[in-house]
Amino acid sequence: MPHDLSHPHRLLPRVALSGFVALGLLTALAGCGDEESQSVSFAPSCPLTHIPPEAADYYQYEGKTFTFPHLVTRASILKLQGDCLAAGRKDLQTRIALRFVVSRGMAAHDGTVTLPWFIAVVHGDKIVNKHVFHHTFQFPANLSSYTTDTHVVTVDLPIPPKNTESDYRFEVGFQLTKEQLDYNETHLKKVDYQAY
């Protein structure tokens, strides 16, 4: 069921979740369309998408003990993929999907894993829209590490599709609790990852 967060007058971006799996459906955001179509008309420029380093990893521990024997799930963003296209003369549509690599911890009790992640739409220095998604899947019993793709999320921006840079950008990452965010900021090596 699509999540429609649009303002009645379309002053804010609209975010929707499609029913298709991301794998194989999207091209890299930098190269929208094939060579033949690009020779006729240019693809719209995609807004800059950034994955904050402190939101690129997800650790879930059992209780308040942050040690290896109490680890339930560890996940990292492996890849961000998508594309941009015109959705009318005054709308730019961006499709985004993430690929996660997930590891099962020693404290995992069953194979069901739910990973919360977000897309925040930033205009200038202000967050104008944010939506949190939950990617749930069944971890294969015979694997300790697994790669999984989210559904494709569509973001419609109320701007004309152009080849010039816009004032919009996306922040994408795991939706973390305060404890998880503090853990990442304290324990993880920070790498400033530009998705595209």
Side-chain angles (χ1 to χ4, degrees):
M1 185 73 183
H3 301 277
D4 190 348
L5 302 181
S6 61
H7 189 280
H9 299 292
R10 295 298 316 282
L11 296 178
L12 295 179
R14 183 176 64 204
V15 180
L17 175 66
S18 79
F20 298 101
V21 177
L23 183 62
L25 294 182
L26 301 182
T27 58
L29 282 164
C32 301
D34 56 27
E35 290 183 7
E36 184 176 348
S37 64
Q38 286 181 356
S39 66
V40 178
S41 62
F42 294 99
S45 296
C46 293
L48 178 67
T49 298
H50 178 249
I51 300 175
E54 62 273 14
D57 292 281
Y58 178 88
Y59 287 83
Q60 181 186 4
Y61 286 93
E62 187 177 51
K64 297 289 185 180
T65 306
F66 302 142
T67 59
F68 185 72
H70 294 89
L71 180 65
V72 177
T73 304
R74 178 190 186 274
S76 297
I77 298 174
L78 191 62
K79 183 178 181 181
L80 186 151
Q81 55 187 2
D83 60 11
C84 289
L85 49 99
R89 291 186 303 165
K90 297 184 179 181
D91 292 286
L92 176 69
Q93 185 177 88
T94 304
R95 296 184 297 176
I96 297 174
L98 295 180
R99 176 170 293 172
F100 301 132
V101 57
V102 189
S103 299
R104 186 201 310 267
M106 293 179 63
H109 299 298
D110 60 50
T112 302
V113 177
T114 297
L115 300 173
W117 65 283
F118 71 88
I119 296 177
V121 182
V122 182
H123 186 245
D125 294 326
K126 181 180 179 182
I127 295 176
V128 295
N129 202 353
K130 179 181 177 182
H131 195 76
V132 178
F133 303 92
H134 294 86
H135 180 62
T136 301
F137 65 96
Q138 195 68 24
F139 207 104
N142 59 336
L143 297 178
S144 60
S145 184
Y146 184 66
T147 301
T148 178
D149 294 323
T150 69
H151 291 284
V152 178
V153 173
T154 300
V155 182
D156 289 335
L157 297 176
I159 56 174
K162 302 183 291 187
N163 293 98
T164 58
E165 293 184 6
S166 74
D167 294 331
Y168 285 94
R169 71 180 190 275
F170 299 122
E171 296 284 331
V172 180
F174 286 109
Q175 181 67 30
L176 305 174
T177 64
K178 184 181 183 306
E179 290 77 14
Q180 289 173 318
L181 183 60
D182 291 344
Y183 181 88
N184 283 0
E185 289 179 340
T186 303
H187 292 85
L188 300 180
K189 179 181 179 182
K190 292 189 176 183
V191 177
D192 192 17
Y193 175 64
Q194 292 287 342
Y196 64 91

